[in-house]
PDB file of all heavy atoms in Angstrom:
ATOM      1  N   HIS Q   5      21.118  57.875  -9.633  1.00 65.00           N
ATOM      2  CA  HIS Q   5      19.735  57.519  -9.292  1.00 65.00           C
ATOM      3  C   HIS Q   5      19.129  56.651 -10.371  1.00 65.00           C
ATOM      4  O   HIS Q   5      19.140  57.023 -11.547  1.00 65.00           O
ATOM      5  CB  HIS Q   5      18.891  58.784  -9.124  1.00 65.00           C
ATOM      6  CG  HIS Q   5      19.234  59.517  -7.865  1.00 65.00           C
ATOM      7  ND1 HIS Q   5      18.857  59.071  -6.623  1.00 65.00           N
ATOM      8  CD2 HIS Q   5      19.935  60.647  -7.665  1.00 65.00           C
ATOM      9  CE1 HIS Q   5      19.313  59.896  -5.699  1.00 65.00           C
ATOM     10  NE2 HIS Q   5      19.985  60.865  -6.324  1.00 65.00           N
ATOM     11  N   SER Q  61     -22.002   0.128  16.362  1.00 91.00           N
ATOM     12  CA  SER Q  61     -22.532  -1.236  16.234  1.00 91.00           C
ATOM     13  C   SER Q  61     -21.810  -2.225  17.153  1.00 91.00           C
ATOM     14  O   SER Q  61     -22.021  -3.431  17.046  1.00 91.00           O
ATOM     15  CB  SER Q  61     -22.403  -1.727  14.788  1.00 91.00           C
ATOM     16  OG  SER Q  61     -22.977  -0.809  13.913  1.00 91.00           O
ATOM     17  N   ALA Q  63     -17.939  -3.228  19.546  1.00 86.00           N
ATOM     18  CA  ALA Q  63     -16.496  -3.383  19.311  1.00 86.00           C
ATOM     19  C   ALA Q  63     -16.203  -4.401  18.217  1.00 86.00           C
ATOM     20  O   ALA Q  63     -15.283  -4.214  17.409  1.00 86.00           O
ATOM     21  CB  ALA Q  63     -15.810  -3.800  20.608  1.00 86.00           C
ATOM     22  N   SER Q  88       9.441  10.560  12.163  1.00 98.00           N
ATOM     23  CA  SER Q  88       9.376  11.765  11.317  1.00 98.00           C
ATOM     24  C   SER Q  88       9.150  13.005  12.174  1.00 98.00           C
ATOM     25  O   SER Q  88       9.691  14.072  11.897  1.00 98.00           O
ATOM     26  CB  SER Q  88       8.279  11.629  10.261  1.00 98.00           C
ATOM     27  OG  SER Q  88       7.019  11.429  10.874  1.00 98.00           O
ATOM     28  N   GLY Q  89       8.346  12.875  13.258  1.00 98.00           N
ATOM     29  CA  GLY Q  89       8.059  14.018  14.128  1.00 98.00           C
ATOM     30  C   GLY Q  89       9.310  14.515  14.827  1.00 98.00           C
ATOM     31  O   GLY Q  89       9.570  15.718  14.871  1.00 98.00           O
ATOM     32  N   ALA Q 103      19.495  30.186  11.157  1.00 93.00           N
ATOM     33  CA  ALA Q 103      19.104  31.366  10.377  1.00 93.00           C
ATOM     34  C   ALA Q 103      19.045  32.618  11.251  1.00 93.00           C
ATOM     35  O   ALA Q 103      18.663  33.692  10.781  1.00 93.00           O
ATOM     36  CB  ALA Q 103      17.746  31.110   9.715  1.00 93.00           C
ATOM     37  N   ILE Q 128      -4.078   4.649  23.104  1.00 98.00           N
ATOM     38  CA  ILE Q 128      -5.478   4.231  22.920  1.00 98.00           C
ATOM     39  C   ILE Q 128      -5.617   3.375  21.655  1.00 98.00           C
ATOM     40  O   ILE Q 128      -6.259   2.319  21.675  1.00 98.00           O
ATOM     41  CB  ILE Q 128      -6.423   5.463  22.865  1.00 98.00           C
ATOM     42  CG1 ILE Q 128      -6.397   6.198  24.201  1.00 98.00           C
ATOM     43  CG2 ILE Q 128      -7.852   5.028  22.520  1.00 98.00           C
ATOM     44  CD1 ILE Q 128      -7.229   7.477  24.231  1.00 98.00           C
ATOM     45  N   ARG Q 135      -4.482  -7.691  21.860  1.00 94.00           N
ATOM     46  CA  ARG Q 135      -5.085  -9.016  22.022  1.00 94.00           C
ATOM     47  C   ARG Q 135      -5.040  -9.499  23.480  1.00 94.00           C
ATOM     48  O   ARG Q 135      -5.319 -10.662  23.755  1.00 94.00           O
ATOM     49  CB  ARG Q 135      -4.391 -10.035  21.128  1.00 94.00           C
ATOM     50  CG  ARG Q 135      -2.924 -10.114  21.379  1.00 94.00           C
ATOM     51  CD  ARG Q 135      -2.254 -11.184  20.583  1.00 94.00           C
ATOM     52  NE  ARG Q 135      -0.814 -10.993  20.752  1.00 94.00           N
ATOM     53  CZ  ARG Q 135       0.090 -11.428  19.926  1.00 94.00           C
ATOM     54  NH1 ARG Q 135      -0.248 -12.088  18.861  1.00 94.00           N
ATOM     55  NH2 ARG Q 135       1.364 -11.225  20.154  1.00 94.00           N
ATOM     56  N   THR Q 136      -4.660  -8.600  24.410  1.00 96.00           N
ATOM     57  CA  THR Q 136      -4.562  -8.998  25.821  1.00 96.00           C
ATOM     58  C   THR Q 136      -5.924  -8.840  26.504  1.00 96.00           C
ATOM     59  O   THR Q 136      -6.876  -8.302  25.926  1.00 96.00           O
ATOM     60  CB  THR Q 136      -3.545  -8.088  26.553  1.00 96.00           C
ATOM     61  OG1 THR Q 136      -4.004  -6.739  26.420  1.00 96.00           O
ATOM     62  CG2 THR Q 136      -2.168  -8.211  25.956  1.00 96.00           C
ATOM     63  N   PHE Q 142     -10.596  -2.497  27.645  1.00 97.00           N
ATOM     64  CA  PHE Q 142     -10.699  -1.197  26.963  1.00 97.00           C
ATOM     65  C   PHE Q 142     -11.773  -1.247  25.881  1.00 97.00           C
ATOM     66  O   PHE Q 142     -12.526  -0.298  25.691  1.00 97.00           O
ATOM     67  CB  PHE Q 142      -9.346  -0.796  26.353  1.00 97.00           C
ATOM     68  CG  PHE Q 142      -8.465  -0.028  27.312  1.00 97.00           C
ATOM     69  CD1 PHE Q 142      -7.714  -0.691  28.269  1.00 97.00           C
ATOM     70  CD2 PHE Q 142      -8.411   1.358  27.270  1.00 97.00           C
ATOM     71  CE1 PHE Q 142      -6.907   0.009  29.161  1.00 97.00           C
ATOM     72  CE2 PHE Q 142      -7.612   2.068  28.164  1.00 97.00           C
ATOM     73  CZ  PHE Q 142      -6.853   1.391  29.118  1.00 97.00           C
ATOM     74  N   VAL Q 157      -6.683  13.818  18.617  1.00 98.00           N
ATOM     75  CA  VAL Q 157      -6.180  13.971  17.238  1.00 98.00           C
ATOM     76  C   VAL Q 157      -6.492  15.388  16.733  1.00 98.00           C
ATOM     77  O   VAL Q 157      -5.635  16.062  16.142  1.00 98.00           O
ATOM     78  CB  VAL Q 157      -6.788  12.912  16.288  1.00 98.00           C
ATOM     79  CG1 VAL Q 157      -6.494  13.259  14.834  1.00 98.00           C
ATOM     80  CG2 VAL Q 157      -6.237  11.530  16.611  1.00 98.00           C
TER      81      VAL Q 157
END
Side-chain angles (χ1 to χ4, degrees):
H5 288 286
S61 307
S88 59
I128 296 176
R135 57 176 170 203
T136 59
F142 272 81
V157 168

